[in-house]
Structure formats: C-alpha cells, structure tokens
Amino acid sequence: MKTAWPAGSAITLSVAQITGIGDRQTNQDALGMAEQEALACFVVADGAGGHRGGEIAARLVVQAVLDSFIEDLSFGSRALQSYVDEAILKVAQGKTGVDSPPDMSATVAAVLIDRKNRCALWAHMGDTRVYLFHNGQISSITKDHSVVQQFIDAGYCKPEEVRTHPQRSVLFAAIGAEGDTRPALSDDTLIIEDGDALLICSDGFWEWVAEAEMEQALTAAQDVDQWLARMADKAKINSSASAKARDNFTAFAIWFGDSSRDRRPRASENAAPSGAR
C-alpha cells in the first residue's frame, strides 16, 4: 500500500557522522556530503595503498563524487554511476603524479537521496557498506567485494565468519584496483518512509558492531546522534575485548522523517535483510 504524501512534502533528514583513527598511525578514511535543492549525496571512502596513498585516494574519491553531484545535479542510476566513474578517473589521474603512490586505491559507498520524491539509490565498491533500516530492522545491506564474501556465496564458509576470517580484509575490487569489476548499484530505487534509517560505514566500523547490535541501538535511541553514539560505544567495547588491531572507522547515520518517531519493530513485521550474507 502506498502512502499519499502532500504535494511538495519533502522528507526531512537528521544526520550524524563519526570518523576515527582506530589503532592505526593515520586515518585513511574520508567522508563528505552535499545537498542541493531536494537532493542529497553522502560518500564514505576507505583508502589503501601504502603510506599516504590510501589517504590521498579516499580524499580524491569523496571530492570527485561530490563535485560531480554539484556540477550535474540529478537523481538516477545513470547519474550516480557517472559520479563514481569520475572518482575512478580522478584516482587513475592521481597515480600519474611524480610523488603519487602507484598502488593507491579506496573503497566507496555513495548514496543519493531525493527528499521530495522520498527515494534513494546507492553505489559501492569494496567493503564499505550501506545498511537500510525499516521499522527498526535491517531490510537491505550492500554485498562486499571481498574474498570472504565469495567464499560465503560459494558455501565455503558461514556468513558469521565475515568478521573473523583470516582473509576478511582481502578485496577483489576497489577504486584504483577495479579489474573487471564495475561499481555495484542498488537494483531498484528504494522508497524511503518516515522512521527509516541509513547507515553508511567503513569496515572499521561495521566489523565491530553486529547487525543485531545496530538494530538494538536504533530502537533504544532518542535521536540520530544517540543512535550513532550507541553503536560507536559498542564498537569500542567489542574491539577493546579483542587482540586484533582496529582499523580506521567512519560512518554516516541518517534518520528520515520526524526524529521523535518510534523506530521500534512492529509486531507484524518480520523483515528479512535483502543482500545480507
């Protein structure tokens, strides 16, 4: 059943963000957002490629996507694809500099939101993720371009091993290391409703917060800042209890509609995540 919204009734966004160095020497993550008219664009990138290389690549990716969005303001799969293609071009050009690291690359997750028409699209490469929450539960997750995800798809390991497998950080696609893999786009335009939420985050964030913990934090939070803070606290606790070094971590948390809306699951809902492992 579709909800009839008043003409011109653009959905509101409440946004919180976080980035941190983790246990690394530098922060090679980057994030950025831009809003024009009723359209908004959010980008998170996680860099790789030796000293300074990842930091440069991540910054180039975020800036290229946002610059393209501002210069060619549009909503649709073709537009979003062009924004990411521009980032691929900028990183390739960045490698040609005399002092530029030749192996620099970055993951990316980019989300386009049309507030007026209450819909969203996303594109991603690597293991930076986008989660969509509906009625307090995860309804969709991007699928990583990682070796472990390939193992899971082939039945060689279980979905829960995505956070613990020895090869969990090995990717087969990223900007600057694309090979034959193209950026993945959401299959359909996603309809956004009041009470929905989005999480865009690098692996240094989601690796330490289980999906059930994300949902629990969402239903307990009074606003988007509290939701992100609860997840960040849980990630800190979980990583402190592990012998593994924590990577850089970055996230955007977005709430749609009235921030006071009850985001607890409804009794009649039994959401099954789409694209989840």
Side-chain angles (χ1 to χ4, degrees):
M1 184 179 73
K2 290 188 176 180
T3 303
W5 301 105
S9 176
I11 199 165
T12 59
L13 305 182
S14 300
V15 182
Q17 65 185 63
I18 189 172
T19 188
I21 197 170
D23 296 321
R24 307 302 188 192
Q25 293 184 337
T26 60
N27 190 348
Q28 298 193 354
D29 284 2
L31 78 168
M33 60 174 288
E35 188 169 5
Q36 294 269 71
E37 300 174 4
L39 300 183
C41 183
F42 296 84
V43 193
V44 172
D46 177 0
H51 181 61
R52 286 187 63 249
E55 184 178 351
I56 295 170
R59 187 174 67 248
L60 285 173
V61 166
V62 170
Q63 195 62 54
V65 171
L66 295 180
D67 284 349
S68 298
F69 166 73
I70 292 169
E71 292 170 9
D72 181 21
L73 191 64
S74 185
F75 181 88
S77 297
R78 184 175 298 181
L80 184 55
Q81 180 72 67
S82 71
Y83 303 160
V84 178
D85 284 345
E86 184 65 19
I88 292 172
L89 176 62
K90 291 298 184 183
V91 171
Q93 291 174 341
K95 290 183 177 184
T96 63
V98 176
D99 298 323
S100 299
D103 58 346
M104 67 180 184
S105 63
T107 68
V108 65
V111 176
L112 271 181
I113 298 170
D114 183 338
R115 296 195 303 108
K116 182 178 180 180
N117 293 300
R118 296 170 174 256
C119 53
L121 288 166
W122 61 56
H124 81 286
M125 289 190 78
D127 58 0
T128 294
R129 293 184 177 179
V130 182
Y131 292 82
L132 175 63
F133 298 78
H134 177 67
N135 288 332
Q137 297 175 310
I138 295 170
S139 62
S140 186
I141 312 173
T142 50
K143 181 178 284 191
D144 301 338
H145 296 107
S146 68
V147 169
V148 172
Q149 184 61 55
Q150 290 181 318
F151 290 163
I152 292 169
D153 291 344
Y156 294 138
C157 65
K158 298 177 180 178
E160 54 267 28
E161 293 181 69
V162 72
R163 288 176 169 85
T164 59
H165 195 281
Q167 292 181 274
R168 64 189 178 277
S169 298
V170 180
L171 305 178
F172 63 83
I175 291 182
E178 299 87 15
D180 296 328
T181 303
R182 294 287 295 152
L185 274 73
S186 45
D187 294 332
D188 302 300
T189 299
L190 303 161
I191 302 303
I192 300 298
E193 299 182 10
D194 284 293
D196 287 352
L198 270 174
L199 175 65
I200 313 166
C201 57
S202 63
D203 64 323
F205 191 89
W206 65 255
E207 183 177 0
W208 299 105
V209 190
E211 282 71 27
E213 292 170 330
M214 296 175 186
E215 293 175 337
Q216 291 165 5
L218 177 61
T219 58
Q222 299 299 312
D223 55 39
V224 70
D225 294 288
Q226 191 177 100
W227 179 39
L228 184 57
R230 284 176 180 268
M231 290 189 290
D233 288 345
K234 178 59 69 173
K236 184 176 181 180
I237 292 170
N238 292 342
S239 63
S240 297
S242 172
K244 295 189 299 181
R246 188 179 183 186
D247 198 358
N248 307 147
F249 57 91
T250 299
F252 274 120
I254 305 168
W255 277 18
F256 295 95
D258 185 356
S259 62
S260 65
R261 181 185 175 94
D262 185 356
R263 293 169 199 265
R264 291 174 294 181
R266 299 174 186 173
S268 61
E269 292 287 339
N270 186 20
S274 168
R277 282 141 295 275

